Amino acid sequence: MYKDRQARLYKRGGDQLQFFSVSCRIGLFCAARLGGQRFFRCGGVSLAVSNLDMHALFVLGDLRAKLVKQFQSRFVYITEQTPEGIYIAEIDTETALVVDDKPRLELKVGDHFRAAVLPSREGGKFELKFRDIKLTVYGLGDYAFVSTAQGEGIVFKEGHNVMLVFAANEQLQEGLSKTLKAVTGKAAKWRKGELVTFKASE
């Protein structure tokens, strides 16, 4: 079942926070499972994965399933934190259209968000894109699950850039940047604009 949805996007540079709207599409996903030696099972669809390392597929497939579960909450926030500042997007999942491409192990949010398990020289990778933001994680050590009184999130890291996908219990009305920075801070520690530590989930 699909629904029209809207996203509120914010971009923070220095002390300025800009607001604009964009139509989105988000995909519902059934938890992935591995069946057989060389096939990946997603719901009722079996997929050949000869180009993906089995261990990477287990880890990244599970990570993807947990990412999609974030969108079961009405308000989902996507942020990217870099030495230059923080970028924030709010998605209302009651009004957004959900798209899931199971054969490609891909989740899409319209033309703006994409998350997919892909082959790589390392055995497999999980690539996330949101507008001009792009992050790639390869497995354990590159992500962390965080929990606060406001909701649950997944923090992804590549280099000195960090992306957060946060499922809020309710819409964040005030202190948006401060709240989401605190959520990210559960896993990533910054000093003078530089990422100095990252506490990954095991």
Side-chain angles (χ1 to χ4, degrees), residues 144-183:
F145 303 110
V146 294
S147 179
T148 70
Q150 292 89 359
E152 307 287 332
I154 306 176
V155 183
F156 302 93
K157 177 188 74 73
E158 182 183 17
H160 289 277
N161 293 357
V162 172
M163 176 188 286
L164 167 69
V165 179
F166 182 70
N169 296 330
E170 59 185 22
Q171 187 176 26
L172 303 178
Q173 299 287 353
E174 298 180 358
L176 185 64
S177 178
K178 181 179 180 181
T179 299
L180 294 175
K181 280 184 176 179
V183 174

Side-chain angles (χ1 to χ4, degrees), residues 116-169:
V117 178
L118 301 169
S120 73
R121 288 179 295 179
E122 292 77 11
K125 63 182 179 180
F126 190 47
E127 186 177 87
L128 302 103
K129 293 181 180 179
F130 187 78
R131 302 185 74 86
D132 295 332
I133 303 169
K134 180 179 177 181
L135 248 71
T136 303
V137 300
Y138 295 91
L140 298 175
D142 293 338
Y143 61 89
F145 303 110
V146 294
S147 179
T148 70
Q150 292 89 359
E152 307 287 332
I154 306 176
V155 183
F156 302 93
K157 177 188 74 73
E158 182 183 17
H160 289 277
N161 293 357
V162 172
M163 176 188 286
L164 167 69
V165 179
F166 182 70
N169 296 330

Side-chain angles (χ1 to χ4, degrees), residues 14-190:
D15 295 326
Q16 296 184 344
L17 187 65
Q18 301 176 351
F19 167 82
F20 54 99
S21 298
V22 61
S23 296
C24 290
R25 295 167 68 88
I26 304 176
L28 293 173
F29 177 79
C30 295
R33 296 179 181 175
L34 188 66
Q37 186 176 3
R38 304 300 294 175
F39 290 88
F40 190 73
R41 194 167 202 77
C42 180
V45 182
S46 294
L47 306 168
V49 291
S50 57
N51 292 328
L52 290 169
D53 175 82
M54 291 297 100
H55 175 72
L57 190 58
F58 269 123
V59 173
L60 299 177
D62 182 65
L63 178 59
R64 178 183 181 277
K66 290 178 178 177
L67 173 64
V68 179
K69 287 181 180 179
Q70 295 295 98
F71 293 96
Q72 293 177 358
S73 295
R74 176 172 178 179
F75 295 104
V76 179
Y77 295 86
I78 300 174
T79 78
E80 183 196 37
Q81 193 167 339
T82 70
E84 288 72 37
I86 186 171
Y87 176 97
I88 303 171
E90 178 197 84
I91 299 174
D92 182 346
T93 61
E94 279 198 354
T95 56
L97 182 63
V98 177
V99 176
D100 180 40
D101 189 342
K102 292 182 178 66
R104 294 179 180 271
L105 295 178
E106 183 177 60
L107 170 68
K108 292 182 179 179
V109 183
D111 296 328
H112 306 290
F113 182 87
R114 174 179 178 271
V117 178
L118 301 169
S120 73
R121 288 179 295 179
E122 292 77 11
K125 63 182 179 180
F126 190 47
E127 186 177 87
L128 302 103
K129 293 181 180 179
F130 187 78
R131 302 185 74 86
D132 295 332
I133 303 169
K134 180 179 177 181
L135 248 71
T136 303
V137 300
Y138 295 91
L140 298 175
D142 293 338
Y143 61 89
F145 303 110
V146 294
S147 179
T148 70
Q150 292 89 359
E152 307 287 332
I154 306 176
V155 183
F156 302 93
K157 177 188 74 73
E158 182 183 17
H160 289 277
N161 293 357
V162 172
M163 176 188 286
L164 167 69
V165 179
F166 182 70
N169 296 330
E170 59 185 22
Q171 187 176 26
L172 303 178
Q173 299 287 353
E174 298 180 358
L176 185 64
S177 178
K178 181 179 180 181
T179 299
L180 294 175
K181 280 184 176 179
V183 174
T184 302
K186 291 274 187 178
K189 301 298 183 184
W190 299 76

